[in-house]
Amino acid sequence: ILLILGEIGLPFPEDATLILSGFLIAQKVTKPLPTVIVVYCGLLLTDFSLYWVGKKYGRKVIEHKRFRRILSAEKLLTLEEKFKKWGIYVVFIGRHFLGIRAQIFLAAGVMRMSTLKFIMADAASAILTMTLMVGIGFVGGNSIAILQKDVKRIEHIGILILAILFTGWMIYKYFRNRKV
C-alpha cells in the first residue's frame, strides 16, 4: 500500500518502504518470504502502472497536470535519446536512481517500449533494488537489537559499579567514623 501511495504522489518514498520492510523482518514483525513476495509484486505493479499510463496516453501524458510534474516535454526528449542509444538498459539502470524512476517508466510507455522487454528489465532491476534496500533495513533492524542488548548489559554493569562504589563509600564512612 505504501508503494502505491508513494507512486500517486504521497510522501512515501519507495526506498524508505523497502528499508522499513527489512526492518520489520529483522524485528520478526513479518516473515521474510511473504514480505519479500508482497514487496516485489508491489514494486512491479507500481512500475508497470506508470509504464501503462505512458503507453495508453502517449505524448498527451506530458500535457496532463499531474504527470507534467513527473515528466516534462524537455525531459521526455532527453529520455528518448537515452532510450534510442541504450534501450532497455535505461530501465534497468535508471530504476536505481531516486527521482528519475517514474520519469523513465512513463517515458518507456510513451515510447511504446515492448511490454515484455519493460517487464523483464524492470523485474531484473527490481530484484537488485529490493535486495539492497530490504537488506539495509534488515541489517539496521538487527543492529538495533544488538544495541538494545548492549544497552541492557551496560545498564547491568553500571548498576553493579554503582553498587560497588556505594558499598565502598559506606565502608569508608564506617571506618572513618570509628577513628574519631
Side-chain angles (χ1 to χ4, degrees):
I1 292 172
L2 291 177
L3 291 169
I4 294 167
L5 292 174
E7 178 191 7
I8 62 172
L10 295 173
F12 298 107
E14 179 180 284
D15 293 342
T17 303
L18 297 175
I19 291 170
L20 174 63
S21 298
F23 178 81
L24 293 175
I25 292 169
Q27 297 298 310
K28 298 184 180 9
V29 174
T30 61
K31 293 183 180 180
L33 187 60
T35 302
V36 168
I37 289 171
V38 167
V39 166
Y40 186 66
C41 291
L43 285 176
L44 296 181
L45 176 70
T46 57
D47 297 350
F48 183 76
S49 64
L50 283 169
Y51 165 82
W52 178 81
V53 166
K55 192 162 187 171
K56 180 173 179 162
Y57 296 105
R59 294 197 172 278
K60 291 179 189 173
V61 82
I62 60 175
E63 297 168 10
H64 189 277
K65 184 173 110 178
R66 174 173 286 291
F67 293 107
R68 186 180 23 214
R69 289 186 332 187
I70 297 173
L71 184 62
S72 67
E74 297 81 26
K75 189 65 175 179
L76 180 59
L77 290 173
T78 303
L79 286 173
E80 283 178 328
E81 291 173 18
K82 302 286 184 207
F83 274 103
K84 286 176 186 173
K85 185 174 182 181
W86 300 100
I88 64 171
Y89 296 111
V90 175
V91 173
F92 185 85
I93 294 168
R95 165 170 236 311
H96 301 287
F97 294 100
L98 184 64
I100 64 167
R101 287 180 191 142
Q103 295 172 353
I104 288 173
F105 302 148
L106 272 172
V110 168
M111 295 182 58
R112 305 282 193 245
M113 174 185 255
S114 158
T115 302
L116 182 60
K117 284 182 180 180
F118 175 80
I119 290 173
M120 288 175 48
D122 188 46
S125 186
I127 288 173
L128 297 175
T129 301
M130 187 180 69
T131 302
L132 177 66
M133 294 301 159
V134 172
I136 288 170
F138 184 79
V139 168
N142 281 332
S143 297
I144 287 175
I146 291 167
L147 287 173
Q148 287 174 335
K149 288 178 186 176
D150 288 344
V151 167
K152 286 180 183 178
R153 191 175 309 128
I154 290 169
E155 284 177 357
H156 290 121
I157 291 170
I159 290 170
L160 180 62
I161 290 171
L162 287 174
I164 291 169
L165 289 173
F166 181 72
T167 304
W169 181 72
M170 292 298 287
I171 292 171
Y172 169 77
K173 289 285 267 174
Y174 173 77
F175 283 114
R176 190 173 137 217
N177 287 339
R178 281 190 86 195
K179 291 182 182 178
V180 176

